[in-house]
Amino acid sequence: MTKSGLIEEVAKRTPHISKKDTEVVVNTIFDAMIEALRSGDRIEIRGFGSFQVKIREARDGRNPKTGESVHISAKRTPFFKVGKELKEMVDGVPATEPETEVDGGTSEESAIG
Amino acid sequence: MTKAEIVEQIYERVGFSKKEAAELVERVFEIMKETLAEGEKVKISGFGNFVVREKNARKGRNPQTGQEILLDARRVLTFKPSLVLKNVLNETEVTDADRASEAAGE
């Protein structure tokens, strides 16, 4: 699905709002999110996930083609952490099911392969 | 930034009613979630791509007990930021102030 596909689908579900308006709003959502990240703000969308900018410190890399050493300056990189609900949806686990983390519980034995 | 703040931004930038903006914001994330749950990728040009990846089953270890366990095959969601977004974030050089705010978890 692309952004235009997303706009189509949103428009389908909101017949009382014009497609043009839907398009403007969808674009504004992502513009606002980019703007937030640009100003170093963290974004948290409940049930979906969170976005955060992290700094990758400067390092000396190597040009893989020439083997030449190059300096890579510090830069900002956006990171996404998937939310619990979406994580479970993607993995096919019902969102209502409790966490089954392997944190020293009693189900270990049955989990051994 | 939360969904409520995105709604606020829509109101400020394009003068859309908050009620309708809130409805559209809900639909956008709902549709993205449904699409990804079906294993389909979502590509937002200028922002990034959300892609579902299959992870094979593998042997892991409980870090607390050291006991070996079998981790089932699973599907995970990854996000690959667009080059545009990465460039936008790096229009200026990283400063110590950035490092301080990152450390403060802002």
Side-chain angles (χ1 to χ4, degrees):
Chain A
M1 173 178 270
T2 60
K3 193 164 74 175
S4 53
L6 177 62
I7 291 164
E8 290 280 341
E9 192 57 38
V10 174
K12 233 186 268 176
R13 295 188 195 187
T14 52
H16 53 292
I17 300 170
S18 82
K19 196 181 154 197
K20 181 82 198 109
D21 282 347
T22 301
E23 188 176 350
V24 169
V25 170
V26 172
N27 283 324
T28 307
I29 290 172
F30 293 107
D31 286 350
M33 287 170 74
I34 290 169
E35 215 40 64
L37 292 174
R38 197 218 288 262
S39 56
D41 201 2
R42 184 174 176 272
I43 304 169
E44 184 164 354
I45 309 293
R46 278 274 163 139
F48 187 83
S50 60
F51 299 86
Q52 194 178 0
V53 175
K54 290 187 183 172
I55 296 164
R56 278 199 203 280
E57 285 302 341
R59 64 195 166 88
D60 289 317
R62 212 171 268 282
N63 181 328
K65 279 208 185 93
T66 64
E68 207 177 337
S69 174
V70 286
H71 182 73
I72 301 166
S73 48
K75 59 178 182 185
R76 303 180 190 87
T77 313
F79 276 92
F80 172 69
K81 186 172 186 288
V82 64
K84 186 169 179 278
E85 186 193 343
L86 179 55
K87 184 181 178 180
E88 291 177 349
M89 279 172 82
V90 163
D91 202 23
V93 178
T96 50
E97 213 163 275
E99 282 273 73
T100 49
E101 292 282 291
V102 277
D103 52 5
T106 51
S107 61
E108 274 170 354
E109 279 190 358
S110 58
I112 296 170
Chain B
M1 170 177 263
T2 59
K3 273 196 283 198
E5 281 157 6
I6 293 176
V7 169
E8 187 66 36
Q9 284 290 310
I10 294 166
Y11 171 73
E12 278 174 28
R13 292 180 189 212
V14 294
F16 226 72
S17 87
K18 285 185 194 175
K19 185 171 171 282
E20 289 193 336
E23 188 185 346
L24 289 169
V25 169
E26 284 302 323
R27 292 292 89 76
V28 164
F29 290 108
E30 167 191 293
I31 291 163
M32 286 173 75
K33 283 200 282 190
E34 286 175 13
T35 305
L36 293 167
E38 283 165 16
E40 194 189 322
K41 65 180 87 160
V42 175
K43 305 201 291 187
I44 308 297
S45 65
F47 189 78
N49 297 345
F50 296 89
V51 183
V52 176
R53 297 211 178 281
E54 304 275 346
K55 295 274 189 185
N56 289 327
R58 63 178 175 89
K59 276 186 187 160
R61 214 173 265 284
N62 180 328
Q64 253 147 47
T65 64
Q67 198 169 17
E68 200 171 82
I69 48 171
L70 184 74
L71 298 169
D72 291 338
R74 64 209 162 96
R75 301 199 303 168
V76 297
L77 177 59
T78 60
F79 173 67
K80 188 171 184 286
S82 85
L83 199 60
V84 176
L85 175 57
K86 287 202 276 188
N87 287 340
V88 160
L89 297 179
N90 289 287
E91 282 165 352
T92 60
E93 268 184 39
V94 174
T95 64
D96 285 342
D98 292 323
R99 293 185 177 93
S101 67
E102 187 197 22
E106 274 175 30

